[in-house]
PDB file of all heavy atoms in Angstrom:
ATOM      1  N   GLY C 187     -21.340 -10.643 -49.702  1.00 96.00           N
ATOM      2  CA  GLY C 187     -21.850  -9.519 -48.930  1.00 96.00           C
ATOM      3  C   GLY C 187     -22.782  -8.639 -49.743  1.00 96.00           C
ATOM      4  O   GLY C 187     -22.672  -8.550 -50.961  1.00 96.00           O
ATOM      5  N   TYR C 188     -23.699  -7.993 -49.040  1.00 97.00           N
ATOM      6  CA  TYR C 188     -24.657  -7.051 -49.637  1.00 97.00           C
ATOM      7  C   TYR C 188     -24.119  -5.643 -49.541  1.00 97.00           C
ATOM      8  O   TYR C 188     -24.171  -5.044 -48.453  1.00 97.00           O
ATOM      9  CB  TYR C 188     -26.009  -7.155 -48.940  1.00 97.00           C
ATOM     10  CG  TYR C 188     -26.766  -8.435 -49.160  1.00 97.00           C
ATOM     11  CD1 TYR C 188     -26.441  -9.587 -48.471  1.00 97.00           C
ATOM     12  CD2 TYR C 188     -27.816  -8.486 -50.073  1.00 97.00           C
ATOM     13  CE1 TYR C 188     -27.152 -10.772 -48.659  1.00 97.00           C
ATOM     14  CE2 TYR C 188     -28.530  -9.650 -50.288  1.00 97.00           C
ATOM     15  CZ  TYR C 188     -28.199 -10.792 -49.571  1.00 97.00           C
ATOM     16  OH  TYR C 188     -28.896 -11.962 -49.781  1.00 97.00           O
ATOM     17  N   PRO C 189     -23.610  -5.049 -50.606  1.00 96.00           N
ATOM     18  CA  PRO C 189     -23.058  -3.701 -50.520  1.00 96.00           C
ATOM     19  C   PRO C 189     -24.076  -2.626 -50.245  1.00 96.00           C
ATOM     20  O   PRO C 189     -23.754  -1.583 -49.654  1.00 96.00           O
ATOM     21  CB  PRO C 189     -22.418  -3.513 -51.919  1.00 96.00           C
ATOM     22  CG  PRO C 189     -22.254  -4.883 -52.454  1.00 96.00           C
ATOM     23  CD  PRO C 189     -23.402  -5.661 -51.912  1.00 96.00           C
ATOM     24  N   ILE C 190     -25.315  -2.871 -50.696  1.00 96.00           N
ATOM     25  CA  ILE C 190     -26.393  -1.905 -50.474  1.00 96.00           C
ATOM     26  C   ILE C 190     -27.582  -2.648 -49.878  1.00 96.00           C
ATOM     27  O   ILE C 190     -27.641  -3.882 -49.892  1.00 96.00           O
ATOM     28  CB  ILE C 190     -26.819  -1.205 -51.782  1.00 96.00           C
ATOM     29  CG1 ILE C 190     -27.268  -2.250 -52.822  1.00 96.00           C
ATOM     30  CG2 ILE C 190     -25.679  -0.364 -52.335  1.00 96.00           C
ATOM     31  CD1 ILE C 190     -27.778  -1.673 -54.124  1.00 96.00           C
ATOM     32  N   SER C 191     -28.532  -1.905 -49.322  1.00 96.00           N
ATOM     33  CA  SER C 191     -29.703  -2.504 -48.735  1.00 96.00           C
ATOM     34  C   SER C 191     -30.688  -2.930 -49.821  1.00 96.00           C
ATOM     35  O   SER C 191     -31.244  -2.088 -50.550  1.00 96.00           O
ATOM     36  CB  SER C 191     -30.384  -1.529 -47.781  1.00 96.00           C
ATOM     37  OG  SER C 191     -31.550  -2.123 -47.194  1.00 96.00           O
ATOM     38  N   ILE C 192     -30.910  -4.249 -49.933  1.00 95.00           N
ATOM     39  CA  ILE C 192     -31.818  -4.819 -50.911  1.00 95.00           C
ATOM     40  C   ILE C 192     -32.447  -6.075 -50.348  1.00 95.00           C
ATOM     41  O   ILE C 192     -31.973  -6.598 -49.339  1.00 95.00           O
ATOM     42  CB  ILE C 192     -31.085  -5.156 -52.222  1.00 95.00           C
ATOM     43  CG1 ILE C 192     -29.864  -6.037 -51.933  1.00 95.00           C
ATOM     44  CG2 ILE C 192     -30.703  -3.921 -53.019  1.00 95.00           C
ATOM     45  CD1 ILE C 192     -29.216  -6.563 -53.171  1.00 95.00           C
ATOM     46  N   PRO C 193     -33.502  -6.602 -50.966  1.00 96.00           N
ATOM     47  CA  PRO C 193     -34.059  -7.881 -50.538  1.00 96.00           C
ATOM     48  C   PRO C 193     -33.043  -9.005 -50.764  1.00 96.00           C
ATOM     49  O   PRO C 193     -32.188  -8.913 -51.674  1.00 96.00           O
ATOM     50  CB  PRO C 193     -35.279  -8.060 -51.430  1.00 96.00           C
ATOM     51  CG  PRO C 193     -35.636  -6.698 -51.899  1.00 96.00           C
ATOM     52  CD  PRO C 193     -34.308  -5.969 -52.023  1.00 96.00           C
ATOM     53  N   GLY C 194     -33.132 -10.065 -49.978  1.00 95.00           N
ATOM     54  CA  GLY C 194     -32.204 -11.174 -50.137  1.00 95.00           C
ATOM     55  C   GLY C 194     -32.483 -12.320 -49.222  1.00 95.00           C
ATOM     56  O   GLY C 194     -33.127 -12.144 -48.160  1.00 95.00           O
ATOM     57  N   GLY C 195     -31.983 -13.493 -49.586  1.00 96.00           N
ATOM     58  CA  GLY C 195     -32.288 -14.697 -48.804  1.00 96.00           C
ATOM     59  C   GLY C 195     -31.102 -15.364 -48.169  1.00 96.00           C
ATOM     60  O   GLY C 195     -31.193 -16.499 -47.686  1.00 96.00           O
ATOM     61  N   TRP C 196     -29.928 -14.709 -48.180  1.00 97.00           N
ATOM     62  CA  TRP C 196     -28.756 -15.317 -47.572  1.00 97.00           C
ATOM     63  C   TRP C 196     -28.848 -15.249 -46.063  1.00 97.00           C
ATOM     64  O   TRP C 196     -29.503 -14.373 -45.484  1.00 97.00           O
ATOM     65  CB  TRP C 196     -27.486 -14.614 -48.062  1.00 97.00           C
ATOM     66  CG  TRP C 196     -27.164 -14.839 -49.495  1.00 97.00           C
ATOM     67  CD1 TRP C 196     -28.053 -14.930 -50.540  1.00 97.00           C
ATOM     68  CD2 TRP C 196     -25.879 -15.027 -50.084  1.00 97.00           C
ATOM     69  NE1 TRP C 196     -27.398 -15.150 -51.719  1.00 97.00           N
ATOM     70  CE2 TRP C 196     -26.055 -15.216 -51.484  1.00 97.00           C
ATOM     71  CE3 TRP C 196     -24.587 -15.035 -49.569  1.00 97.00           C
ATOM     72  CZ2 TRP C 196     -24.991 -15.418 -52.340  1.00 97.00           C
ATOM     73  CZ3 TRP C 196     -23.504 -15.245 -50.440  1.00 97.00           C
ATOM     74  CH2 TRP C 196     -23.715 -15.437 -51.809  1.00 97.00           C
ATOM     75  N   GLN C 197     -28.185 -16.201 -45.402  1.00 98.00           N
ATOM     76  CA  GLN C 197     -28.122 -16.235 -43.925  1.00 98.00           C
ATOM     77  C   GLN C 197     -27.085 -15.180 -43.498  1.00 98.00           C
ATOM     78  O   GLN C 197     -25.906 -15.293 -43.810  1.00 98.00           O
ATOM     79  CB  GLN C 197     -27.708 -17.618 -43.444  1.00 98.00           C
ATOM     80  CG  GLN C 197     -28.574 -18.762 -43.939  1.00 98.00           C
ATOM     81  CD  GLN C 197     -29.945 -18.801 -43.283  1.00 98.00           C
ATOM     82  OE1 GLN C 197     -30.260 -18.056 -42.376  1.00 98.00           O
ATOM     83  NE2 GLN C 197     -30.798 -19.714 -43.730  1.00 98.00           N
TER      84      GLN C 197
END
Side-chain angles (χ1 to χ4, degrees):
Y188 290 79
I190 58 177
S191 179
I192 52 172
W196 291 38
Q197 305 287 355

